[in-house]
Amino acid sequence: MVALTKKAVIENLNPLINLILDRIADSVALQKKECNLIRILCEELLINIIRYAYEESGDMTVEVIVDKEESMIRFCFIDSGMSFDPLEQEKPDITANIMERPVGGLGIFMVREIADSVAYERSGNQNKLTVTMSYQTEEENKNEK
Amino acid sequence: MEFEYSVSNENGILNVYLKGFLDASNAVGLMEEMKKYVGISVTRIVFHAKELEYIASSGLRVIIYTKQKIGYEAEVILKEPQAAVISVFEMSGLINFVTIE
């Protein structure tokens, strides 16, 4: 397991995501489309921490575990900000006419679409959001080609 | 991650050229640019996406805003999007409200 921490400011969004992808790449070679989905998933959850977790400033931490037996990656997004469960947000109606859509609300929806599982926990003074995502093995990649 | 954009209005067609990674850190700039066009009359809004490598909810927010505030009577075109971008539009349901060319 690797834990990556940066100050929760917008300037650190991409550096942290790039670090996450680099650490995953140390363990497993993912397809470009899987890396893209991971980037989206991380962005949507980290931007919530950056924008809303802290009144002043604080850290954002992502713990990453690559489970090669299960062909799955487990992420845990952690902050010490105010208690906030993003899963309690109302799900956007993606069938709604574009003229009636609220401008926001899509971030967590996309996380749910990408991830196999999403779970929130308030632990002490921390928000912890655990997300799992399965990936295609090299064997499966070869069979596809 | 690099992102470039340019916007031009020609005869009622708003052309928005997108290149690189449209993420939460740079979507704000694009949104501010689009706000300048609120109130103009457009028949088509074309997002030129051939060189757009990445989009997430912040970028989709700009697309929705553009349609709602500028192009409420206009057709919204997504021109030559890459597979990664198409999948995000599909995931979010916005694929039903744009025309892919």
Side-chain angles (χ1 to χ4, degrees):
Chain A
M1 189 267 277
V2 64
L4 305 164
T5 299
K6 282 197 178 289
K7 198 160 165 220
V9 292
I10 192 76
E11 293 79 13
N12 284 338
L13 176 64
N14 282 313
L16 182 51
I17 294 174
N18 289 338
L19 258 180
I20 292 166
L21 287 168
D22 284 347
R23 290 292 82 77
I24 292 171
D26 288 343
S27 295
V28 63
L30 298 180
Q31 289 188 334
K32 192 178 170 188
K33 65 180 179 185
E34 288 171 328
C35 292
N36 186 63
L37 292 175
I38 290 172
R39 184 176 288 280
I40 294 170
L41 185 155
C42 290
E43 174 174 330
E44 303 300 353
L45 294 175
L46 290 171
I47 200 64
N48 268 341
I49 299 174
I50 290 168
R51 283 185 184 146
Y52 306 121
Y54 303 104
E55 278 188 22
E56 296 275 340
S57 65
D59 286 341
M60 52 188 179
T61 296
V62 185
E63 294 176 349
V64 184
I65 300 173
V66 177
D67 184 341
K68 288 190 178 179
E69 277 188 25
E70 301 289 326
S71 300
M72 186 188 72
I73 303 170
R74 178 175 285 108
F75 304 87
C76 188
F77 295 82
I78 303 169
D79 71 82
S80 303
M82 59 186 81
S83 180
F84 177 69
D85 178 0
L87 306 181
E88 279 186 347
Q89 305 309 300
E90 202 174 313
K91 293 179 188 179
D93 178 2
I94 65 159
T95 63
N97 190 290
I98 192 171
M99 299 309 291
E100 292 152 15
R101 296 268 206 117
V103 179
L106 281 172
I108 293 297
F109 177 81
M110 305 244 289
V111 170
R112 288 183 188 273
E113 287 292 299
I114 293 169
D116 294 330
S117 71
V118 191
Y120 168 80
E121 178 193 5
R122 179 75 182 174
S123 174
N125 71 334
Q126 291 184 326
N127 294 306
K128 290 185 176 179
L129 195 77
T130 303
V131 177
T132 61
M133 181 185 142
S134 47
Y135 61 84
Q136 209 162 354
T137 61
E138 287 178 45
E139 189 67 37
E140 287 163 334
N141 288 339
K142 280 183 200 160
N143 289 339
E144 245 185 18
K145 286 176 185 165
Chain B
M1 309 297 286
E2 288 197 21
F3 176 64
E4 294 172 29
Y5 65 86
S6 65
V7 185
S8 65
N9 177 21
E10 288 132 22
N11 302 318
I13 300 175
L14 197 62
N15 288 296
V16 185
Y17 295 87
L18 306 170
K19 181 180 179 182
F21 286 68
L22 175 50
D23 62 30
S25 69
N26 49 45
V28 175
L30 180 62
M31 181 74 96
E32 289 306 305
E33 180 66 25
M34 299 317 299
K35 283 180 181 175
K36 295 176 188 172
Y37 294 90
V38 172
I40 67 162
S41 174
V42 291
T43 56
R44 273 166 69 98
I45 301 174
V46 185
F47 288 96
H48 297 261
K50 189 175 178 184
E51 294 181 288
L52 182 64
E53 308 270 353
Y54 170 92
I55 189 169
S57 72
S58 298
L60 294 181
R61 198 168 299 149
V62 181
I63 309 282
I64 294 171
Y65 176 88
T66 302
K67 173 62 183 173
Q68 288 180 345
K69 304 295 182 191
I70 304 168
Y72 36 90
E73 290 179 351
E75 190 182 8
V76 178
I77 315 293
L78 190 60
K79 198 157 173 68
E80 299 175 282
Q82 297 185 22
V85 171
I86 292 177
S87 74
V88 171
F89 272 75
E90 285 173 339
M91 222 188 294
S92 63
L94 286 193
I95 198 82
N96 298 317
F97 303 109
V98 300
T99 304
I100 310 260
E101 282 184 3

